[in-house]
Amino acid sequence: MEQVANLLLSGLSSGSVYALVALGFNVIFKSTGAINFAQGEWVMMGGMVAATSYAAHWPLGLAILCAVLAVVMVALLSERLILRRIKKPTALAVTLMMIAIAICSKSLVMLLLGKNPANLPGFSGSEPVLWFNLRIHPQTFWIVGITCLVMLATHWFFERTVLGRAMRAVAAQPEAAALCGIEPRMAMALSFGLAAGVGALAGTIITPLTLTSFDHGTVLGFKGFSAAMLGGLGSLPGALIGGVALGTLEALAGGLISSHFKDAVAFVALLLTLFLRPTGILGRGAVEKV
Amino acid sequence: MKPQPLPAVPDSKLGGTAPSAARAARFSPSAQSRQRIRFVGLAWLLFAAWPLVAGNDYILSLGIFFFINLLLIGGLNLVMGFGGQISLCQAGFYGLGAYVSGVLAVKYGVPPLLGVLVATAGAALSALCIGLPALRLRGDYLAMATLGFNAILSVLFSELVSLTGGPNGLANIPPVSLAGFKLDIASRFFWLAWGVSGLMMVMLSLLLSSRAGRALRAVAGSEIASGSMGIDPFRSKLAAFMFSAACAGLAGALYAHFNQYASPETFSFATSVLLVVMVALGGWGRYWGPLFGAVVFTAVPELLRKFQDAELLVFGAGMIVVLLYLPTGIAGFGTYLQAGLARLRASRRAS
């Protein structure tokens, strides 16, 4: 019983991070229709920049802020300098370009910040908190709390603010939105900034638990994408549900069945979702199915 | 009722106004195919000189890897370029071929040549199993399903340690022997890879000009329209997917027996992503595209060796430049030049 509870807790924290990665995917998928292969690299970059700044004796809060800003800058620059120059920005062309940007981001991090794994201390120490017989790493609370906050904030942003509504309008009908005076390119840049910022934040909050290094991004990105798929591509609450479901499923399978095949669980879940319920748990609307 | 042949879909979109009879004849599928096969023959005759030009075994083995990569990229181009479906598990089938043939030979003593055949068939069969549910999806959903399948295969390659040797790889894979003649050195194995890949190019050409190939291209154009003309889009896509997987399985088996070693990271989804990029770089849906893609895929990592750690960055930056300024790929650049030359000649004749 205790083991299951511990597994559920670790699943909850990794699931929260998957949820944040999935959120970034969804935001960009909605605005461009492309798969953002760089999302995982942005998460890794966030963790690496924060860890490097912290190692240079910056205060923790400043290191995290600096990481988020740096990654947002990278994303905005790639959007402005590269993606905007594509002559025919079809979903496929953008997806291929995102692969190239992911390769560049990864190698830049490797060249500038080194190949060694980097670490951050827990935001409030690493003394486990005792709660009924469970020893919980305090970082778990930070991860779950920040994820909930970010989810609520994005929800509020897209539902209540003018800017968020404008972005949804562009996602739904770019031409009509342009006729109403919304600049579609501005919406695209904004979605890149948002996705990168959320991704970088996810990278910094998970680093105290798992360490990070330049080659962690790719797998994290794909697991986040599985989470987005599981919850329903393009649905924001779906990202949260998909992420947490994937995290707990993975932790339970890894702990109770076999730790060897833990990594396959996410992808088996992805395939089953696609084959049985391609709209995901919360997704609705048209899925292109023959 | 006899099925009506579909009109040919010319893959070069040059000119295009009121084709003359001569032009129509040139674009008839069988004539185009004959011309392509003649060119393949010529190119492969040239490639046959590679062992003479190559100074050492290392350069010679690059030629072999070129042919193996050509099988991978050529097969993928059929599904992606001509069929319009995104498949991100070509490296998975590649690995499946390598491990099926390798494990059969190492653990069960199956003769390598038989193993190669089993690996090719096995890859096609697994493509059937995964394609049946996956090819009903489209676009990004299909891409993710195939990517997930590749990831699952990768986990199996590195975790089924007793069979595959796990992350350390499978070593001591015996070389192929043909009629008692061991193809254990590069100068002998070269001819097997040379022949097999040439055969694949000829088969691709025949396939593309056949009814099935034209059906596939019609499906890529519009599934609804092709469906209403009596083509079953699903079967067409499934057949192309299986053919492409068989090419990859064959490539994997050849790789395993030539390299005499296979390790899981060669077949990760990162390789699948790169193979898709190579299809795009070579020229999406162009018959000659995979040749260029395979050259890039084989030569560029070798050329970039001297950049060491910066290799990945140079590669990524190069990819951005090509995607921005050469969206039709290298083969497309050739067509573009041809069109320019033709226009130049026409204007000269006119003046």
Side-chain angles (χ1 to χ4, degrees):
Chain A
M1 202 52 226
E2 218 178 283
Q3 191 203 358
V4 174
N6 269 322
L7 288 174
L8 282 178
L9 271 173
S10 81
L12 190 64
S13 61
S14 56
S16 302
V17 172
Y18 295 159
L20 287 181
V21 183
L23 177 72
F25 264 125
N26 280 341
V27 169
I28 289 191
F29 181 78
K30 272 194 151 178
S31 73
T32 62
I35 302 178
N36 176 18
F37 274 91
Q39 186 70 34
E41 309 302 337
W42 290 344
V43 174
M44 174 276 297
M45 200 186 265
M48 284 299 284
V49 173
T52 314
S53 329
Y54 183 78
H57 305 294
W58 291 27
L60 188 60
L62 190 62
I64 292 170
L65 186 69
C66 157
V68 171
L69 289 181
V71 177
V72 168
M73 276 308 291
V74 168
L76 289 181
L77 282 177
S78 352
E79 196 272 335
R80 185 74 192 80
L81 298 180
I82 301 169
L83 287 172
R84 250 184 224 191
R85 287 172 192 242
I86 303 179
K87 281 178 202 107
K88 278 185 234 155
T90 56
L92 189 71
V94 176
T95 302
L96 281 173
M97 197 52 101
M98 289 317 292
I99 296 175
I101 292 175
I103 293 176
C104 287
S105 312
K106 183 178 175 177
S107 59
L108 273 178
V109 170
M110 184 182 82
L111 289 173
L112 297 177
L113 303 180
K115 289 183 185 171
N116 295 329
N119 197 5
L120 272 181
F123 294 178
S124 38
S126 53
E127 195 59 37
V129 179
L130 273 177
W131 188 56
F132 294 105
N133 282 331
L134 295 174
R135 296 164 66 82
I136 307 169
H137 195 291
Q139 190 67 17
T140 311
F141 298 109
W142 279 101
I143 293 177
V144 175
I146 289 179
T147 304
C148 289
L149 266 182
V150 170
M151 288 289 170
L152 285 175
T154 14
H155 184 74
W156 174 79
F157 175 72
F158 280 113
E159 296 292 330
R160 294 269 179 268
T161 63
V162 177
L163 212 54
R165 287 180 178 174
M167 282 171 71
R168 279 172 54 209
V170 173
Q173 249 308 338
E175 290 86 2
L179 279 178
C180 297
I182 306 168
E183 173 71 68
R185 285 184 182 276
M186 185 269 318
M188 193 165 143
L190 244 153
S191 63
F192 270 77
L194 189 65
V198 171
L201 194 64
T204 57
I205 60 176
I206 194 69
T207 302
L209 283 186
T210 60
L211 302 183
T212 186
S213 81
F214 77 95
D215 53 359
H216 274 193
T218 320
V219 171
L220 210 55
F222 285 133
K223 289 207 177 140
F225 198 90
S226 303
M229 222 52 164
L230 205 60
L233 203 55
S235 147
L236 296 184
L240 183 63
I241 291 180
V244 172
L246 190 69
T248 37
L249 199 67
E250 208 177 51
L252 286 178
L256 301 178
I257 304 170
S258 149
S259 60
H260 290 295
F261 299 101
K262 185 182 167 202
D263 278 339
V265 171
F267 299 107
V268 172
L270 170 70
L271 284 190
L272 287 179
T273 326
L274 282 170
F275 296 160
L276 302 176
R277 195 179 153 73
T279 48
I281 301 171
L282 287 188
R284 60 214 132 117
V287 162
E288 294 185 73
K289 206 172 181 194
V290 188
Chain B
M1 203 175 90
K2 211 174 156 232
Q4 288 291 310
L6 271 170
V9 187
D11 48 15
S12 64
K13 304 213 166 51
L14 315 175
T17 45
S20 62
R23 187 171 210 135
R26 208 166 72 220
F27 280 138
S28 89
S30 54
Q32 194 183 29
S33 165
R34 272 197 300 277
Q35 196 193 12
R36 279 173 175 171
I37 291 173
R38 269 198 298 275
F39 271 116
V40 169
L42 204 68
W44 256 249
L45 271 179
L46 280 177
F47 290 155
W50 185 252
L52 300 175
V53 182
N56 52 36
D57 269 11
Y58 165 71
I59 308 270
L60 187 58
S61 70
L62 283 187
I64 294 173
F65 287 123
F66 163 76
F67 290 129
I68 290 176
N69 292 334
L70 182 62
L71 285 173
L72 284 174
I73 298 169
L76 193 57
N77 191 32
L78 181 73
V79 171
M80 301 190 55
F82 293 105
Q85 309 300 315
I86 300 183
S87 159
L88 281 172
C89 59
Q90 191 73 345
F93 294 127
Y94 184 36
L96 204 64
Y99 275 112
V100 165
S101 190
V103 168
L104 281 178
V106 173
K107 308 273 171 185
Y108 301 99
V110 174
L113 208 56
L114 184 63
V116 171
L117 294 180
V118 173
T120 311
L125 196 69
S126 72
L128 177 69
C129 294
I130 197 69
L132 274 176
L135 286 171
R136 296 196 180 275
L137 301 163
R138 256 189 255 165
D140 296 326
Y141 292 85
L142 175 63
M144 289 320 286
T146 48
L147 188 74
F149 183 61
N150 197 146
I152 292 170
L153 283 177
S154 290
V155 173
L156 291 181
F157 294 153
S158 55
E159 296 298 342
L160 292 174
V161 179
S162 58
L163 270 182
T164 62
N168 293 334
L170 185 68
N172 299 323
I173 303 173
V176 182
S177 22
L178 263 180
F181 193 66
K182 254 193 188 169
L183 304 178
D184 52 352
I185 49 173
S187 54
R188 292 181 185 170
F189 193 85
F190 180 86
W191 299 106
L192 181 64
W194 177 83
V196 167
S197 58
L199 213 63
M200 187 223 37
M201 287 302 278
V202 171
M203 269 172 75
L204 265 183
S205 167
L206 292 175
L207 187 70
L208 285 174
S209 65
S210 72
R211 183 179 152 77
R214 283 176 286 133
L216 182 67
R217 283 155 73 178
V219 169
S222 161
E223 288 197 13
I224 296 168
S226 60
S228 66
M229 294 185 75
I231 296 167
D232 182 344
F234 181 66
R235 270 182 59 185
S236 199
K237 288 189 288 184
L238 191 61
F241 190 56
M242 286 173 67
F243 182 86
S244 137
C247 287
L250 179 61
L254 291 180
Y255 170 85
H257 288 293
F258 172 61
N259 215 20
Q260 303 190 4
Y261 172 76
S263 82
E265 70 259 30
T266 317
F267 314 115
S268 70
F269 48 61
T271 313
S272 283
V273 172
L274 278 185
L275 286 170
V276 168
V277 171
M278 291 308 143
V279 169
L281 280 189
W284 201 263
R286 288 170 190 276
Y287 180 74
W288 302 107
L291 275 181
F292 300 106
V295 168
V296 172
F297 196 54
T298 314
V300 168
E302 301 297 326
L303 295 177
L304 293 183
R305 272 278 148 86
K306 66 168 180 284
F307 289 99
Q308 292 177 344
D309 280 353
E311 180 189 323
L312 210 58
L313 184 64
V314 177
F315 186 80
M319 203 174 134
I320 290 177
V321 170
V322 173
L323 286 174
L324 277 184
Y325 300 107
L326 217 60
T328 46
I330 302 171
F333 187 62
T335 320
Y336 179 75
L337 274 185
Q338 242 176 21
L341 276 178
R343 228 177 294 136
L344 202 73
R345 239 179 275 148
S347 67
R348 247 195 227 149
R349 220 174 293 145
S351 62

